[in-house]
Amino acid sequence: MNVLLDHLPEFRDGFLGTIALTAASAALALVLGILMAGFRVSPVPPLRAFGTAWVTLLRNTPLTLLFLVAFFVVPLILFPGISPFVLATLALGFYTSSFVCEAVRSGIGTVPLGQAEAARSIGMTFMQTLRMIVLPQATRTVIPPLSSIFIALTKNSAIAGAFSNTELFNVSKLLSDKGFAIGWIFLWIALAYLVITFTISGIFRLLERRLEVAR
């Protein structure tokens, strides 16, 4: 208990850092994932090819390698001086977007084809059909897998601690380097991750219930 009480500011900063990194990365992944899912079901061949390449490349690239590219290639070529938080958000968001894309695409596949055909028959464009007809109906199917994806994102954020980001894993490394018992440090870190993941799970369960009532 002493290691927690004596270093409560560090644990608090790491906890809030993990939440901020998870939230920013999840928002980026959700936007990119929905966009790429739209590309993958688009009637335009170049867009379908781009969406497929995006998912194939990111899903089959180790996350650590994406962090290395984000921290050592992006600042050198594109944006010098960019903050570690933004770079970590980009790496996590891009990686997770490939999984979000596949979850959304699977949800789109559950919507009867006749819905889209009916929309086209009254003159709606592909984007209007996707935004107003297909995606709202696919949401109920997409919610459960998104919960698992964002929980995995929370745990993946630990990699950012090795790249100058203040988060839970970074706090455990700093305290263990000072000679504190690693077992107690990991216990408090694990409990902090459980709080975050249980909160995410609870939010998505609430969303599922709300959507079931609206069905």
Side-chain angles (χ1 to χ4, degrees), residues 74-154:
V74 172
L76 187 64
I77 298 177
L78 299 176
F79 305 108
I82 193 169
S83 73
F85 178 83
V86 174
L87 292 173
T89 298
L90 290 175
L92 286 167
F94 276 50
Y95 178 76
T96 307
S97 70
S98 62
F99 296 92
V100 172
C101 172
E102 290 301 275
V104 174
R105 187 171 70 92
S106 297
I108 291 173
T110 64
V111 179
L113 186 60
Q115 299 279 341
E117 292 175 346
R120 284 196 297 269
S121 70
I122 61 174
M124 296 180 70
T125 65
F126 170 75
M127 288 303 300
Q128 289 175 327
T129 302
L130 190 65
R131 179 172 56 87
M132 301 173 63
I133 305 296
V134 178
L135 285 178
Q137 296 185 69
T139 302
R140 285 191 292 267
T141 308
V142 171
I143 290 293
L146 283 184
S147 176
S148 300
I149 290 170
F150 290 145
I151 287 173
L153 168 61
T154 303

